Amino acid sequence: MQTKNEQGFFAIGIYRHKTEHNIGTLWRSAYVLGSSYIFTVGKKYKKQTSDVVRTWSRIPLFYYPEMEDLLQNIPYDCRIVGIEIDDNAVPLAEFEHPLRAIYLLGSEDFGLPPAVKEKCHFLVRLPGNSSLNVAVTGGIVLHDRITKIPIDLPPNHKE
Ligand SMILES: C[S@@+](CC[C@H](N)C(=O)[O-])C[C@H]1O[C@@H](n2cnc3c(N)ncnc32)[C@H](O)[C@@H]1O
């Protein structure tokens, strides 16, 4: 008999991040909001105090040197969702999240390059006339996902 997992799973990561503090904040949201794993592309993560739950000690943190490495290691039947301000992006409010999704944010300086956006299965944008902080963006996207596809969240993090 086949079992059905309607919650799916998701991961979130960033392409060539700049500000480590931001990423610590993003990891904290990722863990609290139920991410299965986190990752960086093009630059390794250095431990940050802003990640107060030490997310890397609770869920896997992967590093992919290039976008190609991320593509080669996508879990089976999983979709990459690029988060970017782009004319072809779907507004987040209208977006139907894939059950198995990898959310990819762009760097603070230059966002997701065109070649990376081309590799994403979907592009999603948030409202607003200018760009938001990258960690804030990630938190909003994950909140939208778990509102639309409710999941069992991780327990309180007591050290
Ligand atoms: C600070 S923004 C990059 C801005 C960059 N200077 C530019 O103009 O392309 C960093 C990342 O946050 C995310 N982001 C920020 N605001 C967004 C929005 N309104 N919609 C979708 N993604 C957003 C994207 O992933 C973006 O690559």
Side-chain angles (χ1 to χ4, degrees), residues 13-15 22 82-86 89 104-113 124-135 137-138 141:
I14 184 163
Y15 183 86
N22 271 341
I83 317 291
E84 196 50 87
I85 301 172
D86 187 280
L104 179 61
L105 294 149
S107 80
E108 294 92 327
D109 276 348
F110 52 82
L112 290 176
V124 172
R125 66 182 155 82
L126 275 60
N129 295 323
S130 49
S131 62
L132 295 154
N133 170 280
V134 69
T137 304
V141 170

Side-chain angles (χ1 to χ4, degrees), residues 113-151:
V116 169
K117 286 191 281 190
E118 274 173 24
K119 302 286 185 189
C120 295
H121 299 103
F122 304 97
L123 286 177
V124 172
R125 66 182 155 82
L126 275 60
N129 295 323
S130 49
S131 62
L132 295 154
N133 170 280
V134 69
V136 169
T137 304
I140 291 172
V141 170
L142 296 189
H143 180 266
D144 185 81
R145 179 190 171 99
I146 66 168
T147 302
K148 292 172 179 170
I149 309 175
I151 57 167

Side-chain angles (χ1 to χ4, degrees), residues 70-126:
L70 168 62
L71 293 168
Q72 292 296 324
N73 291 286
I74 302 177
Y76 184 75
D77 200 23
C78 200
R79 299 286 178 267
I80 299 183
V81 181
I83 317 291
E84 196 50 87
I85 301 172
D86 187 280
D87 289 345
N88 296 318
V90 179
L92 180 62
E94 295 166 21
F95 186 60
E96 204 174 308
H97 296 261
L99 271 186
R100 293 165 295 284
I102 295 173
Y103 298 99
L104 179 61
L105 294 149
S107 80
E108 294 92 327
D109 276 348
F110 52 82
L112 290 176
V116 169
K117 286 191 281 190
E118 274 173 24
K119 302 286 185 189
C120 295
H121 299 103
F122 304 97
L123 286 177
V124 172
R125 66 182 155 82
L126 275 60

